[in-house]
Amino acid sequence: MKLRLVILSILLIIFASSAWGFNGERKGFVLGGGLGFAPIVKTTLGSLEDNKSGVGAHLLIGHAWDDYNMIVYEGNVSVYAISGYYEDITVGQGCDAAVWYHYFGETGKTAFTAAGIGLYRYMVDGENATDAGLAILLGGGFEFSRHWQFGAYISFGKTSSGSLDLDHTNLNILISTVAF
């Protein structure tokens, strides 16, 4: 029985390793995410403005066609809490976008830029508080080590709820890892 288990384990490792999606080069499949600080999380309704700070995060998945360029789906969001009468309310806002990353040098120790377009979302306690609208994401930073980077991302977007139109601005400063 133990011999069968050992053989099965070895076969599983051999077959799983041939399906591994990462080759160590910034080409092909990429997957990443990061956490950090959101110093600006702003929502504007006419002359009323709500400006908070919170926690920033992003997740990305996509494809790099060479060592310098990749196109990804990115969710780039900020979350903060508001004290309510009975309980805290969690507010989240950010964009889901198609984002193009451009790296200016070889893997590790190079600057990068990010630009994308997608949908902006505004959520209260995990539920959509408004209808999604157009979003623009711009960013840049520095890849300080293989698979690790520091970046600042600003997103602008609009959402609506009935006849109310909201404008949003979001600045995230993140430390991220990207597997490739």
Side-chain angles (χ1 to χ4, degrees):
M1 183 68 179
K2 284 186 177 184
L3 180 62
R4 286 183 184 168
L5 186 59
V6 170
I7 291 171
L8 184 62
S9 297
I10 291 171
L11 288 173
L12 182 64
I13 291 170
I14 289 169
F15 289 121
S17 66
S18 65
W20 184 247
F22 306 109
N23 61 7
E25 298 177 22
R26 197 188 297 126
K27 287 183 186 176
F29 180 67
V30 294
L31 177 67
L35 286 172
F37 179 58
I40 299 172
V41 186
K42 184 165 71 169
T43 303
T44 306
L45 172 62
S47 62
L48 300 173
E49 187 175 288
D50 183 31
N51 197 355
K52 302 285 185 185
S53 61
V55 175
H58 77 146
L59 292 173
L60 58 95
I61 184 170
H63 179 78
W65 64 88
D66 61 23
D67 283 336
Y68 303 99
N69 297 287
M70 64 184 189
I71 189 84
V72 299
Y73 156 78
E74 181 168 338
N76 194 306
V77 298
S78 296
V79 178
Y80 62 92
I82 299 173
S83 295
Y85 289 111
Y86 300 108
E87 61 186 51
D88 288 344
I89 299 168
T90 303
V91 178
Q93 69 180 47
C95 66
D96 295 319
V99 181
W100 168 51
Y101 278 79
H102 178 73
Y103 292 85
F104 292 96
E106 298 297 323
T107 302
K109 299 196 179 181
T110 183
F112 71 88
T113 59
I117 187 165
L119 294 175
Y120 207 92
R121 302 196 184 275
Y122 183 70
M123 302 182 82
V124 176
D125 280 339
E127 301 292 327
N128 285 328
T130 60
D131 294 328
L134 181 66
I136 302 291
L137 178 118
L138 301 170
F142 191 76
E143 182 183 49
F144 57 87
S145 176
R146 187 175 197 82
H147 304 292
W148 290 95
Q149 61 191 32
F150 166 82
Y153 303 86
I154 188 161
S155 57
F156 306 95
K158 291 186 174 288
T159 62
S160 62
S161 179
S163 63
L164 300 175
D165 291 327
L166 301 168
D167 293 319
H168 304 276
T169 304
N170 194 39
L171 175 64
N172 282 340
I173 300 170
L174 307 173
I175 299 287
S176 305
T177 184
V178 180
F180 46 79

